[in-house]
Structures are given as C-alpha cells and as structure tokens.
Amino acid sequence: MSMDLTEPDAGSDLQRVMLKATFDEKENCWRLNGVKRFITNGDSDIHLVLARSEEGTKDGRGLSMFIYDKRQGGVDVRHIEHKLGIHGSPTCELTYKNAKAELCGSTRLGLIKYVMALMNGARLGIAAQSVGVEQEAYNEGLAYAKERQQFGDKIINFPAVYDMLSRMKAKLDAGRSLLYETAAYVDIYKCLEDIERDRKLTPEEKQELKKYQRLADAFTPLAKGMNSEYANQNAYDAISIHGGSGFIMEYKSQRLFRDARIFSIYEGTTQLQVVAAIRYITNGTMLANIKEMAANLQTCDCMAGLKARVEKLIPVYEEALANVKALENQDAQDFLARRLYDMTAELVMSLLIIRDASKAPELFKKSANVYVRMTEEDVIGKSAYIKAFRVEDLESFRSESSANEE
C-alpha cells in the first residue's frame, strides 16, 4: 500500500494539494487527474490518495481521501527517484489520468481528519524505525572501536571515542523509552476506542480516553522528532568512530548514515514536529506532565541523586517557558520554539530513563547518568539563550539571511 499525499507544489503544506477528483455519474465512481510526487512504494497495489473533490476550494476543507486499486489502471509511474538512501523502497512520481477511485469515508475530511490520523501512526512508525538505526549505528561503532588499534591501544579506551559511544548509547536508551511510553499511550486510547464500538463507555472510561488521546497527541511529535534526530547523530558518530573506513562503501556505517537522513524529513520534518508539539508546551500541558512524572517517579537509591538533579532543572525550564511567552511576539516565539521543544523532550526522556534504570540498573544505569548530564548541559544552555533573547534580535537573523541570499 501507499499514501499518495505530496505533490510538486504541496509538500509540508498539504492544503495546496490540487490533484482533482470528479464524480463520474455514468460509472458511479470518482475519477482522479493530476500528479503525485515522492510517493513511497508508489507502484503498490492499493493507494490512499488525497485529492481535491470540492471545486473552487483552495484549502484543506476541499480535500477528500480516495482509494485507488492498481488493477483499475489509469496511473503511470512517470519517474523513480534516485535517492541518497532507503534504496529498498521505490519512491515514485505518479501521473493520474482519469483513474477510477472510491471515496474513503466522507468528503471534505481527507486532510483534517484522515491524513492527520494516518500521519500520527506513520510518525510513531518513523520513531521506531529511527530507534532501530540508532541501535545499529551504536552496534557498528562499538564493534569497530573494540577491534581498531592505534598508538598501541584499542580506540575504545580513548576518552574522545568512549565519550561518543556513551552519548550514542544514552540517546538510544532514552529515545527507546520515549518511543515505548508514547506507544503505550496510543495503545490505551485505541483500545478504549475499540471498546466504544461495542458498548457505551462509562464516564471514567471517557475521561481516560480523552487523557490518553491528549498524551498521545503531545508525545508523538516528541518521539518522532527526537528519535529521527538521534538516528542522524548516531549514524554520523558511527562514521566518525570508523574514521576513513566509515567513508568507504564496503562498511555498513555509510549506509546507515544515508538511510537515516530521510527520517527527520518524511512524515513531517523535525520543524513540523515542533509545530505539532509547541501548543502542548506553551499552554503548560507538558510542564504539568513533567511535574507529575517527577512527583510520581519512584527511584532506587542509585538513581535518587539523578532525579534530584532533573528536579532542579524543572524551574529553569519553567522560567524559560515564561520568558518566551512574555515576549508576546509570534515570530520570536516561533524562532525559540525548537529550543523549548528540545528542553521539553530531554526532561521527559531524563525522567523516563531514570525510571527504567531504577527497575533495571544493570541495563540503564550508565545511560541514565550520561543522559541527565547531557540534559543539564542543554537545558541550562538553552535557557540562558532564551533569557538573553530580545525581539529586536530577530532582525540580526533576518539581515543575515538576506545578506546570504544576495
């Protein structure tokens, strides 16, 4: 199967989709005409196609979802992309020429309901894909560092190398914890939705459904964005550990590096994950979640000190959040959003990895120690940046951009 969403003039901004859907009265079916681009598995048997069904519209309210079956004909693969990575999956440009299709669900809900549901599921899938590459990049780097000898010693014993490896492992373990936590929230609310199809939910169950759906919506962009970035960082570091060998095609690390690069782009760039998450950050939802997680976190003796260090960062984060909101300037808030997003995710992952290390210190104690230190470094640094920021500072960045373009 494939999701046919993107068009030459409609990438991240899917409201601009213009592939046309018209109803054929004679055949009692819909006909699709237009071009789709960057379609993963574009030669698949079944396609979910986002198309404009309402003539004269220009926004998302005119878009509907359709099901196209390859056996019906009318779609040609015009071009297969020559990509940097993920060569096992063909990415195609498709031409729809009066292709027969069926309406999926109701008209006008294609983008605002169905695509959003598809994207959230896909984003969780990319988070899992990213964790897999994080793991493999770490495995490759660790194995090579144990074997490679320079200056009379294995390179794994060099501080510069074991610093890289410890950070790779910490990102991997913390990222996996965030992935599993998000998946648990999704599982719970999906389960309650399934129950609701068979019977009416109790008032308590309805509250639980709302709670976990809200948590899933808030955590999914964190899991996708952070893990896709960590996959890129771990793949980069794996090449660094290999040195010149990492640049050679015979070693796996180069393929992991090429494959990882798409993770922070498809199914919504990291910048779009920030957009999806920021309202839960600025309205205080994530701050409340972080405080609740910290209050309910039961630790073993070896993790109590790390928990206390994270708790000291929460007021620093809260002050940074208040400073951004006090600017009362949308451009400035958008400019600083990525920093708030990173701080939020790192605090959440610090608490999750401490929880995991309390239950299984033999697996996660080292990663918890490293990740909390990384979080301290980042939260304190980013909060200082935010505290010193002024709205007029935006002009410096705008003028730099203009000068570069000139």
Side-chain angles (χ1 to χ4, degrees), residues 112-285:
I112 61 179
K113 182 177 180 180
Y114 306 134
V115 168
M116 290 300 103
L118 284 168
M119 290 289 273
N120 273 342
R123 286 169 179 174
L124 193 60
I126 303 307
Q129 187 179 31
S130 298
V131 169
V133 170
E134 289 167 48
Q135 177 74 66
E136 191 63 8
Y138 171 72
N139 291 349
E140 290 294 305
L142 179 63
Y144 188 84
K146 286 180 176 179
E147 294 175 2
R148 179 65 169 166
Q149 188 165 324
Q150 290 286 279
F151 307 106
D153 198 2
K154 298 290 177 64
I155 66 170
I156 196 170
N157 295 321
F158 298 167
V161 175
Y162 63 69
D163 176 43
M164 263 194 290
L165 284 167
S166 67
R167 285 171 174 262
M168 291 168 75
K169 184 63 159 60
K171 291 171 187 174
L172 163 64
D173 288 337
R176 184 185 283 115
S177 294
L178 178 59
L179 168 67
Y180 287 174
E181 190 75 3
T182 306
Y185 295 151
V186 173
D187 279 348
I188 292 169
Y189 97 76
K190 290 284 188 184
C191 180
L192 286 165
E193 283 185 337
D194 287 343
I195 292 170
E196 193 173 27
R197 292 186 182 97
D198 295 328
R199 64 165 174 82
K200 189 175 180 181
L201 296 179
T202 65
E204 293 79 12
E205 287 172 333
K206 284 184 178 179
Q207 285 299 111
E208 195 175 19
L209 172 60
K210 288 179 182 178
K211 173 187 173 182
Y212 285 103
Q213 189 165 24
R214 188 165 57 248
L215 283 168
D217 288 345
F219 273 64
T220 296
L222 296 181
K224 195 276 185 186
M226 294 303 291
N227 276 302
S228 64
E229 293 293 330
Y230 284 171
N232 276 274
Q233 293 165 20
N234 277 14
Y236 181 98
D237 286 344
I239 288 180
S240 297
I241 292 167
H242 280 71
S245 297
F247 202 65
I248 304 301
M249 296 297 283
E250 282 77 10
Y251 285 81
K252 186 190 287 188
S253 55
Q254 56 76 28
R255 178 175 63 79
L256 297 173
F257 183 66
R258 290 185 293 102
D259 286 350
R261 190 61 191 90
I262 192 63
F263 299 167
S264 56
I265 298 173
Y266 67 1
E267 306 304 343
T269 63
T270 302
Q271 290 71 29
L272 281 179
Q273 304 313 304
V274 175
V275 171
I278 197 65
R279 67 188 176 102
Y280 297 103
I281 296 171
T282 54
N283 68 12
T285 298

Side-chain angles (χ1 to χ4, degrees), residues 2-12 14 17 19 34-42 47 49-50 75-76 78-82 90-96 266:
S2 69
M3 291 192 297
D4 300 6
L5 308 179
T6 306
E7 296 180 7
D9 294 320
S12 297
L14 288 174
V17 160
L19 187 135
V35 176
K36 290 290 183 182
R37 191 183 184 198
F38 295 153
I39 306 304
T40 302
N41 297 327
H47 299 239
V49 187
L50 185 65
V75 177
D76 294 322
R78 186 159 75 177
H79 177 66
I80 297 177
E81 304 294 344
H82 300 288
T91 301
C92 307
E93 184 169 308
L94 305 177
T95 304
Y96 281 78
Y266 67 1

